[in-house]
């Protein structure tokens, strides 16, 4: 009985930890310092496109800013937040939720030396290659995995604010 009580006390304390560390902030605070959206991506002009219904539902509860763009070749979803949040979902989870089969691909290092998590998404005749990267506003730290970012941010190893960029490109036949 004593061990069970100790276990419940430890679980309760763990559940209260986020409340004590100040992670619950207002939307205004979670958009603090938002510099606005860029008008270009890697030298190509960006055109903002409306979020779809699914994306809008996720954006409505997101503590920060969310927008979708195209550079004429791919779709880019950009998210900005000034706080660690579980509402920053991985693109793979979103694609799975939309009925796609997701296959992990090797990490990609782009022409700038930046690392991108990648996966293939397929449903019916639709095939996409998706890249994902989260990085500090300063550019000092970056992650290819949402969970790794979340824990790093939650334990203060990264102070943010952060950008999450997802790229979606049609895959070949």
């Amino acid at each position: 009985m004593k061990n069970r009580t100790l276990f419940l006390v430890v679980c309760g304390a763990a559940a209260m930890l986020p409340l004590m560390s100040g992670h619950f902030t207002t939307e205004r605070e979670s958009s603090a310092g938002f510099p606005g959206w860029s008008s270009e991506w890697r030298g190509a002009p960006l055109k903002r496109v409306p979020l779809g219904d699914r994306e809008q539902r996720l954006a409505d509860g997101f503590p920060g800013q969310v927008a979708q763009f195209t550079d004429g070749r791919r779709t880019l979803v950009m998210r900005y937040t000034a706080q660690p949040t579980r509402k920053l979902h991985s693109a793979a989870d979103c694609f799975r939720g939309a009925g796609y089969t997701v296959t992990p691909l090797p990490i990609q290092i782009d022409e700038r030396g930046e690392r991108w998590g990648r996966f293939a998404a397929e449903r019916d005749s639709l095939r996409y290659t998706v890249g994902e990267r989260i990085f500090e506003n300063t550019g000092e730290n970056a992650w290819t995995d949402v969970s790794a970012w979340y824990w790093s941010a939650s334990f203060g190893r990264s102070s943010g604010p952060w950008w999450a960029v997802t790229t979606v490109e049609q895959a070949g036949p």
Side-chain angles (χ1 to χ4, degrees), residues 11 18 40 91-92 95 123 131 142-143 152 155:
C11 287
E40 64 90 24
F95 273 83
R123 183 181 76 193
W143 301 263
S152 184
F155 287 119

Side-chain angles (χ1 to χ4, degrees), residues 54-55 57-58 89-102 119 121-123:
R54 182 184 302 263
E55 292 86 3
R57 281 193 304 275
L58 290 171
H89 301 116
S90 76
D93 290 344
C94 293
F95 273 83
R96 278 188 206 96
Y100 286 83
T101 299
V102 171
F119 63 89
E122 189 171 346
R123 183 181 76 193

Side-chain angles (χ1 to χ4, degrees), residues 29-153:
E29 290 169 329
S30 62
S31 292
F34 179 63
W37 303 113
S38 178
S39 60
E40 64 90 24
W41 176 257
R42 308 289 164 102
L46 285 177
K47 177 183 173 191
R48 191 164 180 178
V49 295
L51 296 173
D53 290 340
R54 182 184 302 263
E55 292 86 3
Q56 187 60 56
R57 281 193 304 275
L58 290 171
D60 287 343
F62 184 73
Q65 303 289 322
V66 179
Q68 183 170 274
F69 302 88
T70 183
D71 66 0
R73 193 182 73 150
R74 65 190 144 211
T75 298
L76 294 99
V77 177
M78 297 186 183
R79 296 171 283 180
Y80 176 93
T81 188
Q83 72 179 68
T85 177
R86 284 293 198 185
K87 292 183 178 181
L88 186 93
H89 301 116
S90 76
D93 290 344
C94 293
F95 273 83
R96 278 188 206 96
Y100 286 83
T101 299
V102 171
T103 305
L105 296 172
I107 296 286
Q108 176 188 27
I109 300 176
D110 68 12
E111 67 279 354
R112 295 175 171 213
E114 296 171 341
R115 298 169 59 88
W116 289 79
R118 296 183 333 131
F119 63 89
E122 189 171 346
R123 183 181 76 193
D124 304 323
S125 62
L126 301 172
R127 295 179 60 209
Y128 299 103
T129 301
V130 181
E132 186 166 44
R133 177 170 197 273
I134 303 165
F135 54 95
E136 284 179 341
N137 204 36
T138 63
E140 188 173 324
N141 292 308
W143 301 263
T144 59
D145 175 78
V146 171
S147 189
W149 162 77
Y150 175 78
W151 289 110
S152 184

